Amino acid sequence: MNSSRLPAAEFEVEEAVRATHAADDGGLQEPGVEMLQVLAPDGAMAGSLTAEIAGVPVDFSPYLALADADHLRSLYRDMFLIRRFDQESTALQRQGQLALWVPLTGQEAAQIGSGRALEPQDYAFPTYREHGVALTRGVALPEILRLFRGVTNGGWDPRERNFHLYTLVLAAQSLHAVGYAMGMQRDQLADPSLPPAASIAYFGDGASSEGDIHESMVFAASFNAPVVFFCQNNQWAISVPSTVQTRVPLARRAEGYGFPGVRVDGNDVVAVEAVTRWALDHARSGRGPVLIEAYTYRMSAHTTADDPTKYRLSRDEQEWKPRDPLARLEGYLRSAGLADEAFFEELGAEARAMATDLREAVLSMTAPDLEDRFASVYAEPHPLVQEELRFFQQYEAGFAEEGKHS
Protein backbone atom coordinates (compact mmCIF):
# COMPACT_ATOMS: atom_id res chain seq x y z
CA MET A 1 0.00 0.00 0.00
CA ASN A 2 1.23 3.46 -0.83
CA SER A 3 1.84 5.06 2.56
CA SER A 4 1.41 8.55 1.07
CA ARG A 5 -2.33 7.85 0.79
CA LEU A 6 -2.78 7.02 4.46
CA PRO A 7 -4.55 9.55 6.70
CA ALA A 8 -2.25 11.70 8.79
CA ALA A 9 -2.39 12.35 12.49
CA GLU A 10 -3.91 15.66 13.55
CA PHE A 11 -0.55 17.31 14.13
CA GLU A 12 0.48 16.38 10.58
CA VAL A 13 -2.65 17.70 8.90
CA GLU A 14 -1.12 20.79 7.32
CA GLU A 15 1.66 18.72 5.74
CA ALA A 16 -0.94 16.21 4.52
CA VAL A 17 -3.05 18.94 2.90
CA ARG A 18 -0.01 20.41 1.20
CA ALA A 19 1.01 16.96 -0.05
CA THR A 20 -2.48 16.31 -1.42
CA HIS A 21 -2.46 19.55 -3.39
CA ALA A 22 1.10 19.08 -4.62
CA ALA A 23 0.77 15.43 -5.66
CA ASP A 24 -2.48 14.25 -7.24
CA ASP A 25 -4.48 17.47 -7.47
CA GLY A 26 -4.98 17.32 -11.21
CA GLY A 27 -5.12 13.56 -11.60
CA LEU A 28 -7.92 12.87 -9.15
CA GLN A 29 -10.67 15.21 -10.19
CA GLU A 30 -10.40 16.79 -13.61
CA PRO A 31 -9.81 14.21 -16.39
CA GLY A 32 -12.61 12.16 -17.86
CA VAL A 33 -15.57 14.47 -17.30
CA GLU A 34 -16.77 17.72 -18.81
CA MET A 35 -18.02 20.52 -16.54
CA LEU A 36 -20.90 22.56 -17.88
CA GLN A 37 -20.54 26.30 -17.38
CA VAL A 38 -22.60 29.15 -18.82
CA LEU A 39 -21.27 32.17 -16.91
CA ALA A 40 -17.54 32.59 -16.34
CA PRO A 41 -16.32 33.89 -12.96
CA ASP A 42 -16.18 37.44 -14.36
CA GLY A 43 -19.83 37.23 -15.39
CA ALA A 44 -19.15 36.82 -19.11
CA MET A 45 -20.75 34.16 -21.28
CA ALA A 46 -18.52 31.09 -21.34
CA GLY A 47 -18.49 27.47 -22.37
CA SER A 48 -20.73 25.42 -24.58
CA LEU A 49 -24.42 24.78 -23.99
CA THR A 50 -23.89 21.20 -25.09
CA ALA A 51 -22.22 18.45 -23.08
CA GLU A 52 -21.63 14.79 -23.74
CA ILE A 53 -23.36 12.62 -21.14
CA ALA A 54 -22.96 8.86 -21.25
CA GLY A 55 -21.58 9.24 -24.76
CA VAL A 56 -24.61 11.19 -26.01
CA PRO A 57 -24.52 14.95 -26.76
CA VAL A 58 -27.10 16.85 -24.71
CA ASP A 59 -28.22 20.35 -25.64
CA PHE A 60 -29.16 22.37 -22.57
CA SER A 61 -30.28 25.45 -24.50
CA PRO A 62 -34.02 24.74 -24.03
CA TYR A 63 -33.49 24.69 -20.26
CA LEU A 64 -31.61 28.00 -19.98
CA ALA A 65 -33.27 31.21 -18.81
CA LEU A 66 -30.74 33.80 -20.03
CA ALA A 67 -33.37 35.69 -22.03
CA ASP A 68 -35.64 36.27 -19.01
CA ALA A 69 -34.32 39.33 -17.16
CA ASP A 70 -36.92 39.11 -14.39
CA HIS A 71 -36.00 35.49 -13.75
CA LEU A 72 -32.28 36.24 -13.60
CA ARG A 73 -32.88 39.07 -11.13
CA SER A 74 -35.00 36.74 -9.01
CA LEU A 75 -32.18 34.17 -8.95
CA TYR A 76 -29.79 36.84 -7.74
CA ARG A 77 -32.32 38.02 -5.14
CA ASP A 78 -32.68 34.52 -3.72
CA MET A 79 -28.92 34.05 -3.49
CA PHE A 80 -28.43 37.46 -1.90
CA LEU A 81 -31.15 36.93 0.71
CA ILE A 82 -30.01 33.42 1.64
CA ARG A 83 -26.44 34.63 2.12
CA ARG A 84 -27.70 37.39 4.42
CA PHE A 85 -29.75 34.77 6.24
CA ASP A 86 -26.63 32.67 6.64
CA GLN A 87 -24.66 35.61 8.05
CA GLU A 88 -27.39 36.49 10.54
CA SER A 89 -27.79 32.87 11.64
CA THR A 90 -24.06 32.56 12.23
CA ALA A 91 -24.15 35.71 14.35
CA LEU A 92 -27.10 34.38 16.34
CA GLN A 93 -25.22 31.18 17.09
CA ARG A 94 -22.11 33.07 18.18
CA GLN A 95 -24.29 35.07 20.55
CA GLY A 96 -25.72 31.91 22.12
CA GLN A 97 -29.15 32.18 20.53
CA LEU A 98 -28.74 29.00 18.45
CA ALA A 99 -27.22 25.74 19.62
CA LEU A 100 -25.46 25.18 16.28
CA TRP A 101 -25.45 26.54 12.77
CA VAL A 102 -24.56 24.94 9.42
CA PRO A 103 -23.33 27.64 6.99
CA LEU A 104 -23.86 27.56 3.24
CA THR A 105 -21.74 30.51 2.05
CA GLY A 106 -20.26 29.64 -1.33
CA GLN A 107 -22.96 27.13 -2.22
CA GLU A 108 -25.80 29.57 -2.95
CA ALA A 109 -25.83 28.94 -6.71
CA ALA A 110 -25.97 25.16 -6.33
CA GLN A 111 -28.94 25.41 -3.99
CA ILE A 112 -30.93 28.23 -5.54
CA GLY A 113 -30.37 27.01 -9.09
CA SER A 114 -31.45 23.44 -8.34
CA GLY A 115 -34.31 24.50 -6.08
CA ARG A 116 -35.77 26.83 -8.68
CA ALA A 117 -35.72 23.99 -11.22
CA LEU A 118 -38.21 21.97 -9.16
CA GLU A 119 -41.91 21.85 -10.01
CA PRO A 120 -44.52 22.02 -7.20
CA GLN A 121 -45.30 18.29 -7.49
CA ASP A 122 -41.62 17.31 -7.11
CA TYR A 123 -40.36 16.36 -3.66
CA ALA A 124 -37.00 17.43 -2.20
CA PHE A 125 -35.03 15.55 0.44
CA PRO A 126 -32.38 17.82 1.99
CA THR A 127 -29.44 17.23 4.29
CA TYR A 128 -28.98 19.87 7.01
CA ARG A 129 -27.46 22.63 4.84
CA GLU A 130 -30.08 23.19 2.12
CA HIS A 131 -31.32 26.55 3.41
CA GLY A 132 -31.36 27.94 -0.13
CA VAL A 133 -33.51 25.08 -1.41
CA ALA A 134 -35.85 25.65 1.54
CA LEU A 135 -36.22 29.28 0.46
CA THR A 136 -37.15 28.26 -3.08
CA ARG A 137 -39.77 25.85 -1.74
CA GLY A 138 -41.45 28.57 0.29
CA VAL A 139 -40.33 27.48 3.76
CA ALA A 140 -40.31 30.50 6.09
CA LEU A 141 -36.71 31.11 7.16
CA PRO A 142 -37.48 31.42 10.89
CA GLU A 143 -38.93 27.90 10.75
CA ILE A 144 -35.48 26.58 9.82
CA LEU A 145 -33.97 28.20 12.91
CA ARG A 146 -36.50 26.59 15.25
CA LEU A 147 -34.58 23.35 14.82
CA PHE A 148 -31.20 24.95 15.50
CA ARG A 149 -32.58 26.80 18.52
CA GLY A 150 -33.73 23.47 19.90
CA VAL A 151 -37.40 24.29 20.29
CA THR A 152 -38.64 21.62 17.85
CA ASN A 153 -37.62 18.34 16.30
CA GLY A 154 -38.61 19.55 12.85
CA GLY A 155 -39.67 23.08 12.06
CA TRP A 156 -42.22 22.82 9.26
CA ASP A 157 -44.77 20.44 7.77
CA PRO A 158 -42.97 18.80 4.83
CA ARG A 159 -46.23 17.95 3.11
CA GLU A 160 -47.12 21.62 2.66
CA ARG A 161 -44.07 22.44 0.51
CA ASN A 162 -42.92 19.02 -0.70
CA PHE A 163 -39.69 19.78 1.15
CA HIS A 164 -38.72 17.16 3.70
CA LEU A 165 -37.41 17.87 7.16
CA TYR A 166 -33.65 18.19 7.52
CA THR A 167 -31.84 14.87 7.80
CA LEU A 168 -28.98 14.86 10.30
CA VAL A 169 -28.01 11.23 9.67
CA LEU A 170 -25.50 11.31 6.83
CA ALA A 171 -26.88 10.01 3.50
CA ALA A 172 -30.10 8.60 4.99
CA GLN A 173 -32.18 11.01 2.89
CA SER A 174 -31.00 9.33 -0.32
CA LEU A 175 -32.84 6.16 0.68
CA HIS A 176 -35.94 8.18 1.51
CA ALA A 177 -35.79 9.94 -1.86
CA VAL A 178 -35.56 6.71 -3.83
CA GLY A 179 -38.38 5.09 -1.87
CA TYR A 180 -40.56 8.15 -2.35
CA ALA A 181 -39.75 8.20 -6.08
CA MET A 182 -40.74 4.56 -6.40
CA GLY A 183 -44.00 5.39 -4.63
CA MET A 184 -44.69 8.26 -7.06
CA GLN A 185 -43.86 5.91 -9.93
CA ARG A 186 -46.54 3.46 -8.77
CA ASP A 187 -49.06 6.22 -8.11
CA GLN A 188 -48.54 7.40 -11.69
CA LEU A 189 -49.23 3.92 -13.02
CA ALA A 190 -52.41 3.67 -10.95
CA ASP A 191 -53.59 7.15 -11.93
CA PRO A 192 -52.12 8.45 -15.22
CA SER A 193 -53.90 11.79 -14.69
CA LEU A 194 -51.38 12.72 -11.99
CA PRO A 195 -48.73 15.21 -13.16
CA PRO A 196 -45.30 13.63 -13.79
CA ALA A 197 -43.12 14.10 -10.71
CA ALA A 198 -39.65 13.29 -9.43
CA SER A 199 -37.79 13.41 -6.16
CA ILE A 200 -34.38 14.95 -5.60
CA ALA A 201 -31.85 13.83 -2.99
CA TYR A 202 -29.29 16.36 -1.80
CA PHE A 203 -26.01 15.17 -0.34
CA GLY A 204 -22.37 16.20 -0.12
CA ASP A 205 -19.13 14.70 -1.33
CA GLY A 206 -18.60 13.24 2.15
CA ALA A 207 -21.95 11.44 2.10
CA SER A 208 -21.02 9.97 -1.29
CA SER A 209 -18.68 7.65 0.62
CA GLU A 210 -21.56 6.23 2.69
CA GLY A 211 -23.11 2.87 1.93
CA ASP A 212 -26.59 4.38 1.84
CA ILE A 213 -25.68 6.28 -1.33
CA HIS A 214 -24.57 3.05 -3.01
CA GLU A 215 -27.73 1.22 -1.98
CA SER A 216 -29.89 4.14 -3.12
CA MET A 217 -28.32 4.22 -6.55
CA VAL A 218 -28.63 0.45 -6.94
CA PHE A 219 -32.35 0.58 -6.15
CA ALA A 220 -32.90 3.67 -8.30
CA ALA A 221 -31.23 2.05 -11.29
CA SER A 222 -32.90 -1.32 -10.78
CA PHE A 223 -36.39 0.15 -10.65
CA ASN A 224 -35.79 3.08 -13.04
CA ALA A 225 -36.96 5.39 -10.26
CA PRO A 226 -37.71 9.05 -11.08
CA VAL A 227 -35.04 10.50 -8.78
CA VAL A 228 -32.22 13.00 -9.20
CA PHE A 229 -29.16 12.63 -6.99
CA PHE A 230 -27.75 16.11 -6.42
CA CYS A 231 -24.24 16.05 -4.96
CA GLN A 232 -22.83 19.36 -3.79
CA ASN A 233 -19.12 18.66 -4.02
CA ASN A 234 -17.83 21.45 -1.79
CA GLN A 235 -14.40 19.79 -1.64
CA TRP A 236 -14.49 18.90 2.06
CA ALA A 237 -16.19 16.18 4.12
CA ILE A 238 -15.62 18.17 7.30
CA SER A 239 -11.82 17.77 7.35
CA VAL A 240 -11.32 15.15 4.62
CA PRO A 241 -10.71 16.54 1.10
CA SER A 242 -12.63 15.05 -1.81
CA THR A 243 -9.31 14.01 -3.37
CA VAL A 244 -8.94 11.44 -0.59
CA GLN A 245 -12.48 10.11 -1.04
CA THR A 246 -12.49 9.38 -4.76
CA ARG A 247 -10.02 8.59 -7.54
CA VAL A 248 -12.43 9.75 -10.26
CA PRO A 249 -14.81 12.71 -10.57
CA LEU A 250 -17.96 11.97 -8.58
CA ALA A 251 -20.18 12.42 -11.64
CA ARG A 252 -18.53 9.37 -13.24
CA ARG A 253 -19.80 7.10 -10.48
CA ALA A 254 -23.19 7.08 -12.21
CA GLU A 255 -21.67 5.02 -15.03
CA GLY A 256 -21.27 2.06 -12.68
CA TYR A 257 -24.99 2.09 -11.94
CA GLY A 258 -26.05 2.52 -15.54
CA PHE A 259 -27.52 6.02 -15.52
CA PRO A 260 -26.27 9.47 -16.61
CA GLY A 261 -23.95 11.60 -14.52
CA VAL A 262 -23.11 15.23 -15.23
CA ARG A 263 -20.77 17.72 -13.60
CA VAL A 264 -21.86 21.36 -13.53
CA ASP A 265 -20.10 24.45 -12.26
CA GLY A 266 -21.82 24.71 -8.89
CA ASN A 267 -21.05 28.43 -8.65
CA ASP A 268 -22.91 29.19 -11.88
CA VAL A 269 -26.58 29.46 -10.92
CA VAL A 270 -27.73 29.65 -14.54
CA ALA A 271 -25.94 26.44 -15.48
CA VAL A 272 -27.09 24.65 -12.32
CA GLU A 273 -30.71 25.51 -12.99
CA ALA A 274 -30.49 24.34 -16.61
CA VAL A 275 -28.81 21.04 -15.77
CA THR A 276 -31.25 20.33 -12.94
CA ARG A 277 -34.25 21.11 -15.17
CA TRP A 278 -32.88 18.67 -17.73
CA ALA A 279 -32.26 15.98 -15.10
CA LEU A 280 -35.73 16.33 -13.56
CA ASP A 281 -37.31 16.19 -17.00
CA HIS A 282 -35.28 13.06 -17.72
CA ALA A 283 -36.49 11.42 -14.49
CA ARG A 284 -40.13 12.49 -14.80
CA SER A 285 -40.39 11.20 -18.37
CA GLY A 286 -39.58 7.64 -17.29
CA ARG A 287 -35.95 7.59 -18.44
CA GLY A 288 -34.65 6.90 -14.95
CA PRO A 289 -32.32 8.52 -12.41
CA VAL A 290 -29.57 11.10 -12.94
CA LEU A 291 -26.56 12.07 -10.83
CA ILE A 292 -25.55 15.75 -10.79
CA GLU A 293 -22.23 16.77 -9.30
CA ALA A 294 -22.29 20.50 -8.55
CA TYR A 295 -18.61 21.43 -8.29
CA THR A 296 -18.42 24.17 -5.68
CA TYR A 297 -16.59 25.17 -2.49
CA ARG A 298 -17.58 25.61 1.15
CA MET A 299 -16.24 29.07 1.95
CA SER A 300 -17.00 28.82 5.66
CA ALA A 301 -16.78 26.16 8.34
CA HIS A 302 -18.59 22.82 8.14
CA THR A 303 -20.61 23.98 11.16
CA THR A 304 -20.04 26.65 13.78
CA ALA A 305 -18.45 23.91 15.91
CA ASP A 306 -15.74 23.44 13.28
CA ASP A 307 -12.40 25.20 12.75
CA PRO A 308 -11.40 24.84 9.07
CA THR A 309 -8.00 26.45 9.68
CA LYS A 310 -6.96 23.16 11.28
CA TYR A 311 -7.22 21.19 8.05
CA ARG A 312 -7.20 23.46 4.99
CA LEU A 313 -5.08 26.28 3.67
CA SER A 314 -6.20 29.90 3.52
CA ARG A 315 -4.61 29.97 0.05
CA ASP A 316 -7.37 27.69 -1.24
CA GLU A 317 -10.10 29.95 0.08
CA GLN A 318 -8.45 32.92 -1.61
CA GLU A 319 -8.34 31.02 -4.91
CA TRP A 320 -12.08 30.34 -4.74
CA LYS A 321 -13.17 33.86 -3.79
CA PRO A 322 -13.06 35.17 -7.40
CA ARG A 323 -15.51 32.41 -8.32
CA ASP A 324 -18.16 33.76 -5.92
CA PRO A 325 -21.61 32.83 -7.29
CA LEU A 326 -23.20 36.16 -6.37
CA ALA A 327 -20.43 38.27 -7.89
CA ARG A 328 -20.64 36.18 -11.07
CA LEU A 329 -24.33 36.78 -11.68
CA GLU A 330 -24.09 40.41 -10.58
CA GLY A 331 -21.35 40.93 -13.16
CA TYR A 332 -23.57 39.54 -15.88
CA LEU A 333 -26.62 41.56 -14.81
CA ARG A 334 -24.62 44.78 -14.82
CA SER A 335 -22.73 44.18 -18.07
CA ALA A 336 -25.91 43.12 -19.90
CA GLY A 337 -27.83 46.11 -18.56
CA LEU A 338 -30.37 43.88 -16.82
CA ALA A 339 -30.12 45.48 -13.36
CA ASP A 340 -29.32 49.03 -12.27
CA GLU A 341 -27.92 50.41 -9.03
CA ALA A 342 -31.42 50.97 -7.65
CA PHE A 343 -32.10 47.23 -7.87
CA PHE A 344 -29.07 46.35 -5.75
CA GLU A 345 -29.76 49.11 -3.22
CA GLU A 346 -33.39 48.02 -2.78
CA LEU A 347 -32.28 44.42 -2.39
CA GLY A 348 -29.78 45.43 0.29
CA ALA A 349 -32.53 47.22 2.21
CA GLU A 350 -34.81 44.19 1.87
CA ALA A 351 -32.06 41.92 3.22
CA ARG A 352 -31.44 44.17 6.23
CA ALA A 353 -35.15 44.21 7.05
CA MET A 354 -35.29 40.43 6.66
CA ALA A 355 -32.38 40.02 9.08
CA THR A 356 -34.07 42.25 11.65
CA ASP A 357 -37.32 40.30 11.41
CA LEU A 358 -35.39 37.03 11.61
CA ARG A 359 -33.61 38.06 14.80
CA GLU A 360 -36.86 39.16 16.42
CA ALA A 361 -38.51 35.89 15.45
CA VAL A 362 -35.68 33.82 16.93
CA LEU A 363 -35.58 35.78 20.20
CA SER A 364 -39.33 35.29 20.60
CA MET A 365 -39.09 31.50 20.25
CA THR A 366 -39.76 29.64 23.48
CA ALA A 367 -39.06 26.06 24.37
CA PRO A 368 -42.04 23.70 24.48
CA ASP A 369 -43.44 22.56 27.82
CA LEU A 370 -41.79 19.60 29.44
CA GLU A 371 -44.95 17.56 28.96
CA ASP A 372 -44.74 18.07 25.20
CA ARG A 373 -41.26 16.55 25.10
CA PHE A 374 -42.45 13.37 26.77
CA ALA A 375 -45.68 13.22 24.76
CA SER A 376 -43.74 12.79 21.52
CA VAL A 377 -41.93 9.60 22.58
CA TYR A 378 -44.84 7.25 21.81
CA ALA A 379 -48.07 7.74 19.89
CA GLU A 380 -50.06 6.62 22.94
CA PRO A 381 -49.41 7.27 26.67
CA HIS A 382 -46.87 4.86 28.14
CA PRO A 383 -46.64 4.12 31.89
CA LEU A 384 -42.82 4.20 31.98
CA VAL A 385 -42.71 7.54 30.16
CA GLN A 386 -45.37 8.92 32.50
CA GLU A 387 -43.29 7.83 35.47
CA GLU A 388 -40.21 9.57 34.05
CA LEU A 389 -42.26 12.71 33.40
CA ARG A 390 -43.36 12.84 37.03
CA PHE A 391 -39.73 12.46 38.14
CA PHE A 392 -38.59 15.39 35.99
CA GLN A 393 -41.53 17.52 37.12
CA GLN A 394 -40.47 16.97 40.73
CA TYR A 395 -36.87 17.70 39.76
CA GLU A 396 -37.81 21.03 38.17
CA ALA A 397 -40.10 21.91 41.08
CA GLY A 398 -37.13 21.54 43.41
CA PHE A 399 -35.30 24.32 41.58
CA ALA A 400 -38.36 26.52 41.78
CA GLU A 401 -38.65 26.01 45.54
CA GLU A 402 -34.96 26.79 45.99
CA GLY A 403 -35.48 30.10 44.21
CA LYS A 404 -38.34 31.06 46.49
CA HIS A 405 -36.23 30.68 49.65
CA SER A 406 -33.24 32.64 48.34
Side-chain angles (χ1 to χ4, degrees), residues 114-132:
S114 61
R116 292 290 293 272
L118 293 164
E119 295 292 341
Q121 69 270 21
D122 297 328
Y123 201 106
F125 289 85
T127 64
Y128 39 70
R129 198 188 302 273
E130 274 66 56
H131 321 312

Side-chain angles (χ1 to χ4, degrees), residues 7-307:
E10 287 187 16
F11 59 83
E12 298 172 327
V13 70
E14 184 171 346
E15 289 78 3
V17 172
R18 291 186 187 278
T20 298
H21 283 264
D24 296 317
D25 197 30
L28 291 175
Q29 289 291 347
E30 297 308 323
V33 67
E34 182 179 2
M35 183 165 70
L36 186 72
Q37 182 187 87
V38 177
L39 296 180
D42 62 359
M45 288 288 294
S48 171
L49 303 184
T50 302
E52 190 171 288
I53 300 174
V56 179
V58 176
D59 182 13
F60 292 93
S61 300
Y63 301 94
L64 289 169
L66 281 172
D68 190 337
D70 288 339
H71 182 72
L72 291 176
R73 286 191 293 267
S74 70
L75 290 175
Y76 183 84
R77 175 183 176 273
D78 282 356
M79 290 197 296
F80 191 90
L81 291 179
I82 207 62
R83 177 169 291 188
R84 184 66 184 87
F85 167 73
D86 188 36
Q87 294 168 344
E88 189 65 24
S89 300
T90 300
L92 285 164
Q93 193 282 327
R94 296 305 189 200
Q95 295 162 8
Q97 299 301 330
L98 301 178
L100 183 75
W101 181 240
V102 186
L104 61 66
T105 297
Q107 298 179 223
E108 295 89 351
Q111 295 192 15
I112 297 301
S114 61
R116 292 290 293 272
L118 293 164
E119 295 292 341
Q121 69 270 21
D122 297 328
Y123 201 106
F125 289 85
T127 64
Y128 39 70
R129 198 188 302 273
E130 274 66 56
H131 321 312
V133 184
L135 176 67
T136 67
R137 299 303 277 175
V139 176
L141 295 180
E143 292 185 350
I144 298 175
L145 298 189
R146 293 179 63 210
L147 175 65
F148 293 95
R149 190 165 168 84
V151 301
T152 179
N153 293 326
W156 59 89
D157 185 343
R159 295 165 296 187
E160 292 181 356
R161 306 293 182 180
N162 277 10
F163 183 75
H164 205 62
L165 296 175
Y166 278 0
T167 304
L168 305 182
V169 178
L170 204 62
Q173 71 281 359
S174 64
L175 297 168
H176 306 157
V178 173
Y180 197 91
M182 292 170 63
M184 290 193 294
Q185 187 180 52
R186 285 150 178 75
D187 289 344
Q188 195 80 48
L189 289 172
D191 184 0
S193 66
L194 291 173
S199 69
I200 184 168
Y202 288 91
F203 59 99
D205 50 295
S208 72
S209 298
E210 294 286 326
D212 284 358
I213 295 295
H214 168 69
E215 294 168 6
S216 300
M217 292 187 178
V218 168
F219 263 85
S222 298
F223 292 93
N224 209 43
V227 58
V228 173
F229 297 100
F230 193 92
C231 176
Q232 293 176 82
N233 181 358
N234 66 15
Q235 314 302 314
W236 291 96
I238 307 183
S239 61
V240 179
S242 59
T243 51
V244 174
Q245 299 180 73
T246 179
R247 298 295 298 179
V248 299
L250 290 173
R252 288 191 57 190
R253 290 189 177 179
E255 298 173 16
Y257 300 99
F259 55 81
V262 56
R263 173 185 277 186
V264 62
D265 185 340
N267 286 12
D268 179 354
V269 67
V270 178
V272 171
E273 184 183 38
V275 168
T276 310
R277 286 191 187 281
W278 169 83
L280 288 166
D281 183 55
H282 185 282
R284 292 191 207 102
S285 61
R287 288 176 286 170
V290 176
L291 168 62
I292 297 174
E293 177 194 358
Y295 199 75
T296 182
Y297 192 80
R298 166 168 55 82
M299 291 299 295
S300 49
H302 175 70
T303 73
T304 48
D306 171 43
D307 180 4

Side-chain angles (χ1 to χ4, degrees), residues 383 385-395:
V385 174
Q386 295 300 311
E387 180 183 347
E388 292 172 340
L389 171 59
R390 288 191 293 271
F391 170 81
F392 275 99
Q393 287 173 330
Q394 294 172 1
Y395 178 74

